[in-house]
Amino acid sequence: MATQYYEINALELAKIYQSHCFESLHANWLTHLEPFLSIKGMTFLDIGAGAGRDAKFIVENGQQPKVVAVEPVSSLNRLGQAYTRDLSIDWYRDQLPCLYTVKKHYEQFDVILVSSVFNYLDEHASIQALLTIRNLLKPKGLFIVKLRHCNDNAELKKRGLVNIEAVKLTEMAKNADLVCEEITVSEADAQGRHHTTWQTILFRPI
């Protein structure tokens, strides 16, 4: 994963990430998450946690949830920890496709949220990442993938991004015993970038 851009711009990016409301960013799939937030003691894994916005929302809106946040960019990880320092969130500097550190400490989760991470993985790594996630997902769990679609080559290069189509990812997920429950329609970028749209895929384990 290309991290240099994010290390250099971590403070500015953290301010942007934290300025957006979880409910508005994720409005088109929030109903799938709400049942897990309403049950006491659910476990959540936020991969690509950035500066902690989503992990913070889950802790504050769940019923005594266990939340683990994973962010490989050291500067963003530190900023996320500072942002959520009064909350019960376990932070790790780990990354897909293997999540070695997370697997040492935890067995499985009820909900796994992966924000944009597949946009930094090639096909081989994506397949490996899906297998890792399937092994970490409880039998009745929910796996949420947020994908970024970008049509600006300069932006892709700057951030080390690759485009991956939702249908392609769902096909790969079948080999990891993950079934697609819903693919949301493309949504505009919250920062107003005309070259970028977002899409969310919801998976359940087979």
Side-chain angles (χ1 to χ4, degrees):
M1 176 179 174
T3 61
Q4 184 177 10
Y5 171 83
Y6 295 91
E7 290 284 8
I8 293 171
N9 298 282
L11 186 58
E12 179 184 352
L13 290 169
K15 290 178 181 177
I16 293 170
Y17 297 157
Q18 293 164 359
S19 69
H20 295 297
C21 172
F22 181 99
E23 294 96 325
S24 60
L25 281 177
H26 306 312
N28 56 1
W29 57 267
L30 189 56
T31 54
H32 293 268
L33 183 66
E34 287 171 344
F36 294 91
L37 294 174
S38 68
I39 301 173
K40 184 177 179 180
M42 290 283 100
T43 53
F44 298 81
L45 175 61
D46 183 8
I47 305 172
R53 178 199 60 226
D54 294 354
K56 182 176 185 288
F57 174 88
I58 292 168
V59 167
E60 293 179 339
N61 291 274
Q63 300 298 314
Q64 299 179 26
K66 175 66 179 178
V67 180
V68 176
V70 171
E71 175 51 56
V73 178
S74 58
S75 297
L76 279 175
N77 193 304
R78 289 193 298 270
L79 290 166
Q81 289 188 55
Y83 182 61
T84 61
R85 61 182 174 272
D86 297 325
L87 302 173
S88 180
I89 299 172
D90 290 341
W91 280 87
Y92 292 95
R93 189 167 175 244
D94 201 359
Q95 63 185 18
L96 286 170
C98 297
L99 292 178
Y100 290 120
T101 304
V102 170
K103 288 189 291 188
K104 287 180 182 177
H105 293 88
Y106 304 94
E107 291 186 1
Q108 289 187 314
F109 296 86
D110 294 291
V111 177
I112 299 177
L113 170 61
V114 180
S115 301
S116 191
V117 177
F118 282 93
N119 290 106
Y120 301 93
L121 304 177
D122 61 23
E123 184 170 337
H124 176 76
S126 292
I127 293 169
Q128 189 176 5
L130 289 165
L131 290 169
T132 296
I133 289 164
R134 176 62 184 88
N135 288 331
L136 285 169
L137 189 63
K138 290 185 178 180
K140 295 184 179 180
L142 175 66
F143 169 36
I144 306 156
V145 179
K146 195 91 172 180
L147 290 181
R148 180 203 300 252
H149 303 302
C150 178
N151 61 16
D152 186 312
N153 289 331
E155 183 75 3
L156 291 169
K157 184 176 181 180
K158 180 176 71 174
R159 293 175 179 258
L161 292 163
V162 295
N163 283 315
I164 179 169
E165 294 300 323
V167 173
K168 174 71 172 178
L169 190 63
T170 60
E171 287 299 315
M172 290 192 288
K174 289 178 182 178
N175 294 322
D177 289 337
L178 292 162
V179 62
C180 175
E181 187 168 271
E182 183 177 334
I183 301 177
T184 67
V185 298
S186 294
E187 54 199 273
D189 180 61
Q191 298 178 42
R193 294 170 294 190
H194 299 299
H195 54 62
T196 296
T197 58
W198 297 84
Q199 206 168 14
T200 303
I201 314 174
L202 304 163
F203 292 99
R204 298 280 185 177
I206 296 174

